[in-house]
Amino acid sequence: MSDPALREAASTPFRPGGTAQAPPQAPSSRLAAVDAMRLLAAIAVAAYHYVGTPTPRFWGEQYDLPQAAPLLHAISGYGWLGVEAFFLISGFVICMSCWGRTPGQFAVSRIARLFPLYWAVVLIIVVMGTVTVLIGQRSGAPTDLRTTIGNLTMIPRPLGVDFTAGVAWTLWVEARFYLLMGALLMFGLTYRRVVAFGFLWLVIASMGRELQSNVLNEVLLSQYAGLFVAGIACYLMHRFGQNLLLWLLTGFAWCYTLTVLDDRVATHPTSNWILSAIVLTGFLALLALASLSRLRHLQWRSLTYAGALTYPFYLVHQSIGIPVARGVLKTVPTLGLLSAVFAGVLFSLLLAAVLNRYVDRRLGPLLRRRLTTALDPAPRKGTTGISLPPPTPHS
């Protein structure tokens, strides 16, 4: 899920009274090391879907992943933690993107970044599924008109329809995080407000879990709140420097995260909580290194480009890449399972590059400009300067 917030983040002067420490050092506008983390998370998720899935005979009766690639299958079985890593990184990046922006500007940046690529992928999946049905095969994704229309909103599940792109459930989680950050933006971002927001979010989310309140759990994302807050704390350290309060916030968020992680582990029967906690903590350590150590000065264009491909690759690798791999395996079975998997991943990467070039780079900026103009439209000609007759005096 690549995000331009790393290159778009605005820096604003530090407000007196925000914190007692010295004025912050202006952070870099682009963190290539964080892009590398994003790429690693995407690879982890793809590995899980392709070779780590616990579904028996996922690639057919004659192919058994535990036997075909036992070590790769065991390691990739923890690839689902790449989603948690995305949420962790999102806390960092979205806090960076919010700083110095109005709620309207933040909304425009999110809409222009996410929707063009998402719409394109949904339509590609629907076209592929429709063609598959027309030639007498079974489509793996819903292609009916109602489901497609619902998916174009990016919130199909609340509307009562299935996701066209299976991985898009994470976008609904992200959207609710954006709403929380947008609400905070209404009050203006300062160091102290963001720190207080982080602590308060975790406490109220904990109350939602204790009360078993579906409303609080859904609104406050109680399953993932610790990941987002830990990412926010890392950004605050990146922007303002490390201090005891921010490390306490990070520690609180991480204790929360590892505790509720057991719920996610329970949905992945081949995973172990201890190993999952170790892997996820490794992602946190990588984010700290990428943003707080000398790695924050890394400026490799290859990593920046890889980060730009992550979002389109994430969207297409499952719903499009896996059917391609299945087709290769069915058409040329002599290639073997791993070769077919490689073909599906390669096709997904190439499609991601095409989408990045012709959708993200072209439609994204266009949509951003149009939405920015729409935020403050000029009055139409002939609708201003109209003179009204003076009121008639009372007799």
Side-chain angles (χ1 to χ4, degrees):
M1 289 185 289
S2 178
D3 199 318
L6 288 172
R7 63 177 178 269
E8 292 175 348
S11 43
T12 56
F14 181 66
R15 299 183 183 180
T19 180
Q21 65 189 68
Q25 186 177 9
S28 172
S29 61
R30 187 77 194 187
L31 299 177
V34 175
D35 281 319
M37 267 198 71
R38 200 194 313 274
L39 176 62
L40 179 62
I43 291 173
V45 174
Y48 175 76
H49 286 144
Y50 281 85
V51 294
T53 174
T55 304
R57 303 297 192 275
F58 177 77
W59 293 101
E61 289 298 325
Q62 65 273 39
Y63 299 103
D64 187 9
L65 279 170
Q67 291 185 2
L71 181 60
L72 185 60
H73 175 68
I75 295 174
S76 300
Y78 288 87
W80 59 271
L81 288 162
V83 170
E84 266 69 7
F86 276 130
F87 294 150
L88 173 65
I89 297 168
S90 184
F92 183 100
V93 171
I94 297 306
C95 189
M96 175 185 280
S97 180
C98 282
W99 220 279
R101 279 182 168 157
T102 66
Q105 290 169 337
F106 174 64
V108 166
S109 73
R110 296 298 86 212
I111 293 170
R113 177 65 188 105
L114 297 179
F115 273 95
L117 280 170
Y118 173 76
W119 286 332
V121 170
V122 167
L123 294 178
I124 291 172
I125 293 172
V126 170
V127 169
M128 288 182 59
T130 302
V131 171
T132 300
V133 171
L134 289 177
I135 62 177
Q137 302 294 322
R138 185 178 67 87
S139 172
T143 58
D144 62 281
L145 182 60
R146 176 174 175 268
T147 299
T148 301
I149 293 173
N151 271 268
L152 292 177
T153 66
M154 205 183 280
I155 54 172
R157 184 65 55 79
L159 298 179
V161 296
D162 294 330
F163 286 100
T164 298
V167 297
W169 69 268
T170 61
L171 300 182
W172 173 226
V173 176
E174 290 277 357
R176 284 174 282 169
F177 171 50
Y178 298 164
L179 287 175
L180 291 174
M181 293 300 292
L184 181 60
L185 266 178
M186 298 290 291
F187 299 93
L189 293 191
T190 65
Y191 171 86
R192 288 182 178 178
R193 285 174 184 168
V194 176
V195 171
F197 170 77
F199 279 112
L200 190 62
W201 184 2
L202 294 176
V203 171
I204 299 179
S206 300
M207 293 169 59
R209 295 179 68 87
E210 181 182 25
L211 297 172
Q212 298 182 348
S213 169
N214 290 331
V215 173
L216 286 177
N217 287 335
E218 288 297 312
V219 173
L220 297 179
L221 303 166
S222 64
Q223 182 63 52
Y224 307 107
L227 293 163
F228 289 119
V229 172
I232 289 172
C234 283
Y235 175 69
L236 291 178
M237 284 190 276
H238 171 71
R239 184 180 183 90
F240 297 105
Q242 303 175 51
N243 60 50
L244 178 60
L245 181 60
L246 292 179
W247 279 115
L248 285 174
L249 177 59
T250 304
F252 182 20
W254 210 244
C255 288
Y256 178 105
T257 293
L258 296 186
T259 304
V260 302
L261 180 63
D262 191 59
D263 292 345
R264 286 274 285 159
V265 172
T267 64
H268 297 84
T270 61
S271 297
N272 172 277
W273 178 85
I274 293 178
L275 287 178
S276 299
I278 291 172
V279 172
L280 193 53
T281 302
F283 275 113
L284 176 63
L286 287 176
L287 180 60
L289 285 173
S291 58
L292 304 178
S293 73
R294 292 183 179 181
L295 289 177
R296 70 184 186 277
H297 301 301
L298 191 64
Q299 296 294 324
W300 290 0
R301 296 185 64 182
S302 57
L303 291 180
T304 300
Y305 180 65
L309 294 186
T310 302
Y311 177 48
F313 173 77
Y314 179 79
L315 288 177
V316 305
H317 81 272
Q318 183 184 41
S319 297
I320 297 177
I322 288 180
V324 168
R326 290 184 186 278
V328 171
L329 195 58
K330 184 177 181 179
T331 306
V332 194
T334 55
L335 286 178
L337 176 59
L338 295 183
S339 296
V341 165
F342 176 78
V345 173
L346 180 61
F347 180 84
S348 299
L349 283 171
L350 293 175
L351 180 57
V354 172
L355 290 170
N356 171 256
R357 180 171 182 177
Y358 293 103
V359 178
D360 191 24
R361 295 186 185 181
R362 296 187 180 185
L363 295 185
L366 176 63
L367 183 59
R368 185 178 293 108
R369 289 194 298 270
R370 294 294 179 88
L371 288 175
T372 299
T373 302
L375 281 177
D376 190 21
R380 297 178 61 185
K381 293 182 178 180
T383 60
T384 60
I386 300 177
S387 299
L388 298 177
T392 303
H394 295 289
S395 56

